[in-house]
Each structure stands twice: as C-alpha cells, then as structure tokens.
Amino acid sequence: MPELSYREAVRDALSQAMRRDPDVFVMGEDIAEMGGSMGVTQGMLAEFGPERVRNTPISEMALAGCAIGAAMQGMRPVAEIMYEDFLTLAMEQVVNQAAKHRYMSGGQVKVPVVFRTQGGAGWSPGAQHAQQVEAWFCHVPGLKVVFASTPTDVRGLLWSAIYDDNPVVFFEHRTLYGLKEEVPDELEPIELGKARIVREGEDVTVIATGRLVHESLGAAAEAEKEGVSVEVVDPRTLQPLDEDALVNSVKKTNRCVVAHEAITKWGFGAEVAAVVQHRAFDFLDAPVERVGSRFTPLPFAPVMEQFVVPHEADVLEAIQKTVSRNGN
C-alpha cells in the first residue's frame, strides 16, 4: 500500500479522474504554473495542459459561474476556490444558481460541479483567510457538503464528488495537507452520505470533523488512561448527514460530544446536537457537549489564534464533563 499525504491524495483523485474522463477538468486562481495556493495541483499542468488545468481571473463569482455553465453543458469541472473565506464572493452563483437548477428544471438539467476549497487556523493567516464556513452551505437545499479528515477519505470522497450529478462543496483543512498514511493501491470511491467510525468505544461518542477528528483521537487516548472508553465518529459528508450512524453510536454510549473548528454558536455541531437530542433523547445520560471556536474573528497573533480555536484539551474537558454528569 503506498503512503500518500493528504495533499497528494487530493492530487491523485483529480489526476485519475482526468486521465479516465476527458470531461473532467480543473480551474481556479493560480492553479496551473503555481500549482495552487497549497500546492495541490503542482505538476498537473505538465501532464494535462492549460486547457484542462485552467488559470482563471481573480474573480470567484466569475470562475464559479463558468464552472456551473460547463457542468450544465455536460462537463465535470472542479473549481478551486483559493480560500473558503472567498466563497462569500461566489455565494450568488453557488447558492442561487448551482444549487437550484436541477430542481427548477424538474431534473432536466444536472450541475455536476465540485467547488474545492480549504481553510482553517494554525498558521496565523488572520481573520479573512482561515474561517470555517461549512455550516453556511449545509443550510442550502441542492448542495452536497463534504469535509474529509484523512488521505484515504479525501481521495475516495473527492472521486465520488466529481461523479455526483449534484453540486458539491468540498472542504479541506490546510493543516492536514502534510498528514500521511498508507492508502489502498487502487482508488476506492467512498459513498457520499456515509459516516466512518474512526475509533470504537463504549462510554462517550465524539462526533468530529476535519482537524478535530485528530484532536479527538488524542483526547480519546488520554481519556482511556482515566478508564473512559471513547468512540470517535467522522461524518465525512455533512450534507447529506448519516444520521443513523451518529444516532446508533450515541445509543450505544449514552453520551455525546460534538467537535469542530468552526465557531460553536450556530454551527454544524448545533444541528448534530439537535439530531441526537431528537432521535436518541431516551438514551442520553447527560446533555450533548459542544466544542468549537470562540465567537470572534480569528486573531492574527499566534498565541491568540491558539486561544480561540479548539484543541485536544478542549475535547478531553468536554468528555470529562459529560461523564462526570452521570456521577462516574
């Protein structure tokens, strides 16, 4: 089994799809010669040429609109939005055009476009280049939303996103790009809408996304030293959400912590908490705990940035809190 980094796994999924299917192409700001802001598309220009690895003007609305138009004409574009903060500039196209055409045409028009983007704290980018805005797009009917946390998952999920006939907003976390693991020799598609149990446990379920999956695994290892068995579940696809997998885990453990890097208030975790409360209320031995960033723009100063975003210690504290509420 080869070892790939998260960055290489994204590139591998894109390249394999483009070799197989001439309708697949990538487009975005500085993705050709420069290889993108995070180096994901480095080397692809030499293999596929400028027609299929297309630099675009610095206009997120324009590049999103072009990608949507190409998708409606039968192609399968992957449009890179350099930072997820900049999705704000393409919001009209993504929310009012891509998400609506299939419904408004009675299924006659498909929009198989992927909007790849990345963000997250950890390198002091400041308040305009590190937001986590996945919850905004989960709220829009017609969009699918994916957030992969490992090289294997990002490769398999991106492949499935490319070949989905609906628009997909595909989130990546910049601090995961260097993460490496062994992946299968053959790319294995991962069905959108299926969660993954990352670590099995008996006492608490932690439902985590992106970077917080790894912080939660660290917290679970620490909790185990205290005799607490923690199950970690990664939804992987945020919309549609695999509610059954999440609820079944909570029914087994009777406690739940939801963890993500996005701001806690009004976030994706709030919806997960509501689902768990509604569908597993009789199984809960304690309230659902939530872990996320503080309600503030992300500071530039490294020490303040680390203060604002959640870490392993925050997840561990939430685990300890929900266990102690039952008197254990």
Side-chain angles (χ1 to χ4, degrees):
M1 298 177 71
E3 185 179 70
L4 291 181
S5 69
Y6 189 102
R7 176 185 289 105
E8 292 167 336
V10 175
R11 185 186 303 135
D12 188 50
L14 293 172
S15 297
Q16 288 203 49
M18 290 173 68
R19 292 182 194 120
R20 167 185 165 176
D21 188 346
D23 288 334
V24 179
F25 70 98
V26 296
M27 59 189 297
E29 298 160 0
D30 292 329
I31 68 164
E33 292 84 1
M34 179 178 167
S37 62
M38 295 293 127
V40 171
T41 53
Q42 283 182 353
M44 293 182 65
L45 175 65
E47 178 175 357
F48 298 105
E51 290 297 309
R52 299 185 68 197
V53 182
R54 302 182 68 95
N55 278 336
T56 68
I58 303 175
S59 172
E60 282 73 21
M61 179 175 282
L63 77 88
C66 288
I68 294 165
M72 292 171 66
Q73 292 299 313
M75 304 193 78
R76 293 187 178 274
V78 180
E80 178 177 312
I81 306 296
M82 188 179 287
Y83 295 93
E84 61 185 84
D85 313 64
F86 301 166
L87 280 165
T88 55
L89 298 163
M91 205 70 155
E92 198 284 330
Q93 291 294 316
V94 176
V95 171
N96 287 332
Q97 306 305 324
K100 304 296 191 293
H101 283 309
R102 191 169 188 182
Y103 172 79
M104 293 176 68
S105 70
Q108 297 179 78
V109 176
K110 298 176 182 178
V111 192
V113 59
V114 178
F115 299 103
R116 271 191 58 246
T117 189
Q118 57 82 32
W123 61 298
S124 297
Q128 296 176 326
H129 292 77
Q131 296 173 79
Q132 298 275 262
V133 298
E134 58 271 15
W136 297 359
F137 298 91
C138 294
H139 193 68
V140 179
L143 296 179
K144 294 187 177 182
V145 181
V146 178
F147 197 175
S149 65
T150 68
T152 299
D153 281 355
V154 80
R155 190 171 71 152
L157 289 165
L158 182 54
W159 179 275
S160 295
I162 291 170
Y163 285 100
D164 197 292
D165 286 335
N166 300 284
V168 180
V169 185
F170 197 96
F171 289 94
E172 300 158 17
H173 196 289
R174 70 168 50 84
T175 64
L176 298 180
Y177 280 127
L179 178 70
K180 293 184 177 182
E181 70 175 5
E182 290 186 345
V183 301
D185 291 308
E186 298 293 326
L187 189 156
E188 298 178 356
I190 297 173
E191 182 181 354
L192 302 188
K194 295 294 182 181
R196 177 170 71 97
I197 297 177
V198 184
R199 184 186 199 275
E200 294 194 355
E202 301 295 330
D203 298 324
V204 187
T205 294
V206 178
I207 301 168
T209 61
R211 179 181 66 84
L212 264 292
V213 171
H214 305 280
E215 301 294 324
S216 298
L217 288 171
E222 290 299 313
E224 189 172 35
K225 297 175 184 178
E226 303 171 3
V228 179
S229 176
V230 180
E231 182 151 297
V232 179
V233 183
D234 181 356
R236 303 193 292 191
T237 303
L238 311 188
Q239 173 59 32
L241 181 64
D242 188 355
E243 293 186 9
D244 288 343
L246 309 187
V247 169
N248 289 338
S249 177
V250 174
K251 285 182 177 180
K252 179 177 75 169
T253 66
N254 308 119
R255 302 174 186 85
C256 181
V257 174
V258 185
H260 53 57
E261 187 178 301
I263 289 169
T264 308
K265 294 183 69 173
W266 311 103
F268 170 73
E271 174 63 21
V272 173
V275 168
V276 169
Q277 186 274 340
H278 180 69
R279 294 189 54 188
F281 180 80
D282 291 337
F283 293 84
L284 287 170
D285 288 338
V288 178
E289 296 293 332
R290 294 163 58 191
V291 177
S293 289
R294 300 173 189 271
F295 194 73
T296 177
L298 194 69
F300 175 76
V303 66
M304 289 302 299
E305 179 192 50
Q306 293 304 303
F307 173 72
V308 165
V309 300
H311 302 282
E312 176 183 312
D314 300 291
V315 181
L316 180 59
E317 182 181 354
I319 291 169
Q320 293 167 334
K321 185 176 181 181
T322 191
V323 170
S324 67
R325 288 191 179 217
N326 199 40
N328 294 333

